[in-house]
Amino acid sequence: MAVDYTVIVVYLAGMLAMGWWGMRRARSKSEFLVAGRRLGPAMYSGTMAAIVLGGASTIGGVGLGYRYGLSGAWMVFTIGLGLLALSVFFSARIARLKVYTVSEMLDLRYGGRAGVVSGIVMWAYTLMLAVTSTIAYATIFDVLFDMNRTLAIVLGGSIVVAYSTLGGMWSITLTDMVQFVVKTIGVLLLLLPVAVVKAGGFSEMKAKLPTSYFDPLGIGGETIFTYVLIYTFGMLIGQDIWQRVFTARSDRTARWGGTVAGTYCLAYALAGAVIGTAAKVLYPRLGSPDDAFATIVKAELPVGVRGLVLAAALAAVMSTSSGALIACATVANNDIWSRLRGIAKKPSEDHDEVAGNRAFVLIMGVAVIGTAIALNNVVEALTVAYNLLVGGLLVPILGGLLWKRGTAQGALASVLVGGLAVIGLMAGYGILAGEPVYYGLLASLAAYVAVSLATRPTDETVLATWRERLAGRTPELASEPAPAHQ
C-alpha cells in the first residue's frame, strides 16, 4: 500500500497548496465568496460537476447499484436532471441578480422581509450537506489506513476547512477543478471498465443476477418520484449550487457550462450503478451496500491505480464538503448574523468583510466536524437536509421567479408552514419516508398562494427594481465593490 499512500498524501498536500495560492487572490468579498464572478466555461463546468457529485453520489451511487442494479442510477440521475433544468431555465437570471445568497434574492423580490427565516432554513440545509460529506471521510480513510472513525473525520475535515478558510471560493474552485479531473479518471476511466471486466462482462452479469437488476425502473416508481422531488428540485434552489452560478462570468457561461455539467452527471450516474452491479456479482454478501465501492477498489485494482481511485473518492467527498461549507458560512454570516446584529453592509469595510467571512468558514467548519463525529447515518442526514430545503424554500423561491402576485407575507408563511410541516411529518412518518416532503411541499404551496392572495400585492417599486436586476440593467449590490485589480 506504500504507493497508494504516496498518491493520497501528495493529493492532500496539493489541496492545501492550492488553498494557500487561493488566499493570495481572495482580497475582496466578491473574490472570496464567488471567485470574482469571473469563471469561464471550462472551469465553471468542472467545478459545478464537482460540487454536485459528492460522496453520496459516488459511494452512495455505487451502493444503490449494488442493491438495485442499473436503476440505482436514479438518485444521481435526478441530480443531473435538476442541474440541467437550473442551467437551461434559471441560471442566466440568477447570475444577473449579482447577489451572494438565496435569501438576498428573496429580499430583492419580496421587499426585504424574508431573509432571516429563509436564511435559517438554508443554513440548516448547507450544514447537514457538509456533515454528510464529512462523515464519508471515515469510509475512505478506513480503507486506506485502517483509521479510527473520529480521527478520519477530523483529518479529512481539517484539510477541507483549511483550504476553504484560506482562499474561499478561489481555493475551492481550484481544488474542485483538480478533483473533477481526478474523479473522471479514477471512476469513469479506471474503475468502471475494470469492474465490468472483473465481473465477466455484461453477459456474465446478466446471467448471475436477477432480471430486476437490469430493469430501468426496478428501484420503484415511488422512489424515483421522491428522488425527483428532493434532488431535482433541490438542485434548483440550494445555496451551494446558486453560489456556483454566481461565479460565472456571463449568462452564456452559466447556461451552457451548467448544461455540460448536468450531462456529465447523467453519465456519472450510470457509471456508479454499473460499478455497483459488478460489485454484486463479485461480492454478493457484503454487510452493507455502501461498502461496495471501497471493497471493489481494495480487492480488484492494482497498486497505484487503487490509490488514484481512492483519491477520486476523496475528491468527490471534498468537492461537495467544501462547497457546502462555504455556502453554510456565507448564509450564517450574511443572512443571519449580520441581520440579527442589524449591521448594514458598507463597501468601505470590504477588507473586514473578507476577514469576517473567513472567520465564519472556520467556525462553521469546526461545527461541521463536531456534528459529523456525533452522527453516523449519512442517508438520514442528507434526507433531513433536502426535506427542509425543498419543503421550506422551493415554493417561495420558484414562486418569486415565476409568479408576480406572490408577496413577502406569502413567502414567509410558505417557509414557516412548509418547514414545520416537514419536521413534524418526519417525526411521525420517519426520516426516510416520502410523506414528509410530499405533504410538506403541498402545505408550503397552499400557504404561499392563500396568504399572497389575501395580502396586498408587492409594491410596484420593489417589482420594478427586481425586473431591472433580472434583466442585468442595474449595478451590483452596494456591498460588492470591484476587486482592487480591476
Side-chain angles (χ1 to χ4, degrees):
M1 292 286 286
V3 175
D4 295 327
Y5 293 162
T6 301
V7 172
I8 297 296
V9 170
V10 169
Y11 170 77
L12 295 176
M15 296 299 99
L16 291 174
M18 289 184 184
W20 182 262
W21 188 87
M23 182 175 67
R24 301 173 60 186
R25 302 198 63 169
R27 297 181 179 179
S28 71
K29 180 179 178 180
S30 175
E31 296 282 359
F32 188 83
L33 294 182
V34 290
R37 308 188 194 275
R38 291 191 286 125
L39 297 192
M43 188 165 282
Y44 178 86
S45 298
T47 56
M48 181 62 88
I51 188 176
V52 301
L53 296 174
S57 299
T58 303
I59 298 171
V62 171
L64 287 171
Y66 183 88
R67 185 175 179 183
Y68 297 106
L70 298 186
S71 67
W74 273 105
M75 184 187 78
V76 183
F77 200 81
T78 55
I79 290 173
L81 292 178
L83 185 52
L84 285 172
L86 174 72
S87 301
V88 173
F89 299 112
F90 299 108
S91 63
R93 283 185 284 177
I94 292 170
R96 286 195 292 265
L97 290 174
K98 302 297 184 186
V99 295
Y100 291 108
T101 69
V102 174
S103 294
E104 286 182 21
M105 167 266 169
L106 291 173
D107 280 352
L108 275 172
R109 168 60 182 81
Y110 294 113
R113 285 176 285 179
V116 174
V117 175
S118 62
I120 291 171
V121 175
M122 189 63 76
W123 172 80
Y125 157 72
T126 53
L127 178 72
M128 295 307 292
L129 186 61
V131 165
T132 60
S133 298
T134 304
I135 291 173
Y137 295 131
T139 300
I140 300 167
F141 282 111
D142 177 57
V143 174
L144 282 172
F145 309 116
D146 194 24
M147 187 178 291
N148 173 270
R149 177 182 182 275
T150 298
L151 182 59
I153 289 172
V154 171
L155 175 61
S158 296
I159 292 170
V160 170
V161 172
Y163 73 69
S164 300
T165 301
L166 286 172
M169 187 59 84
W170 265 123
S171 295
I172 292 170
T173 296
L174 293 170
T175 55
D176 276 3
M177 198 62 200
V178 173
Q179 289 159 355
F180 169 74
V181 172
V182 169
K183 67 187 178 186
T184 298
I185 295 172
V187 175
L188 295 183
L189 302 183
L190 292 175
L191 182 57
L192 175 60
V194 168
V196 173
V197 170
K198 292 286 187 178
F202 285 102
S203 59
E204 188 70 15
M205 291 162 63
K206 287 183 177 180
K208 290 186 176 180
L209 294 173
T211 56
S212 62
Y213 268 70
F214 302 92
D215 180 357
L217 303 178
I219 198 170
E222 183 179 349
T223 299
I224 295 171
F225 180 68
T226 302
Y227 285 159
V228 170
L229 279 184
I230 294 177
Y231 298 118
T232 301
F233 286 117
M235 286 295 106
L236 299 180
I237 58 175
Q239 170 67 25
D240 53 320
I241 309 303
W242 277 41
Q243 200 156 340
R244 292 310 172 97
V245 175
F246 300 151
T247 66
R249 71 183 179 197
S250 67
D251 298 356
R252 184 180 178 84
T253 297
R255 181 182 295 112
W256 292 108
T259 301
V260 171
T263 304
Y264 177 90
C265 291
L266 303 184
Y268 199 88
L270 185 58
V274 171
I275 292 168
T277 304
K280 183 67 175 179
V281 173
L282 294 168
Y283 316 100
R285 295 180 178 84
L286 290 179
S288 168
D290 286 341
D291 293 336
F293 180 89
T295 301
I296 196 169
V297 169
K298 189 173 183 179
E300 303 298 339
L301 295 181
V303 172
V305 174
R306 179 170 51 205
L308 181 60
V309 174
L310 288 170
L314 273 176
V317 173
M318 286 184 167
S319 57
T320 298
S321 181
S322 58
L325 174 59
I326 195 170
C328 180
T330 303
V331 171
N333 187 21
N334 292 270
D335 292 336
I336 301 175
W337 179 246
S338 294
R339 293 168 192 257
L340 290 177
R341 293 182 64 194
I343 298 176
K345 298 183 176 75
K346 301 175 183 178
S348 62
E349 296 178 357
D350 184 64
H351 178 73
D352 291 335
E353 283 190 278
V354 173
N357 280 293
R358 183 173 280 131
F360 264 86
V361 173
L362 179 59
I363 293 168
M364 290 299 104
V366 172
V368 165
I369 292 172
T371 307
I373 292 171
L375 295 179
N376 193 36
N377 192 309
V378 176
V379 176
E380 288 191 359
L382 192 65
T383 301
V384 169
Y386 274 98
N387 280 356
L388 282 173
L389 177 70
V390 174
L393 291 179
L394 177 66
V395 170
I397 292 172
L398 293 188
L401 289 169
L402 300 173
W403 191 40
K404 178 182 177 181
R405 186 61 180 82
T407 67
Q409 295 88 343
L412 187 58
S414 179
V415 173
L416 291 173
V417 170
L420 292 175
V422 164
I423 293 171
L425 290 165
M426 282 192 295
Y429 284 97
I431 290 176
L432 299 180
E435 286 82 0
V437 72
Y438 301 159
Y439 300 139
L441 194 55
L442 288 175
S444 178
L445 177 61
Y448 180 70
V449 173
V451 175
S452 291
L453 292 176
T455 52
R456 182 179 299 176
T458 304
D459 187 270
E460 186 55 39
T461 303
V462 172
L463 290 177
T465 302
W466 166 254
R467 287 192 292 269
E468 288 292 301
R469 184 65 67 84
L470 275 180
R473 291 194 292 265
T474 56
E476 297 186 6
L477 293 178
S479 61
E480 186 180 330
H485 61 275
Q486 289 188 337

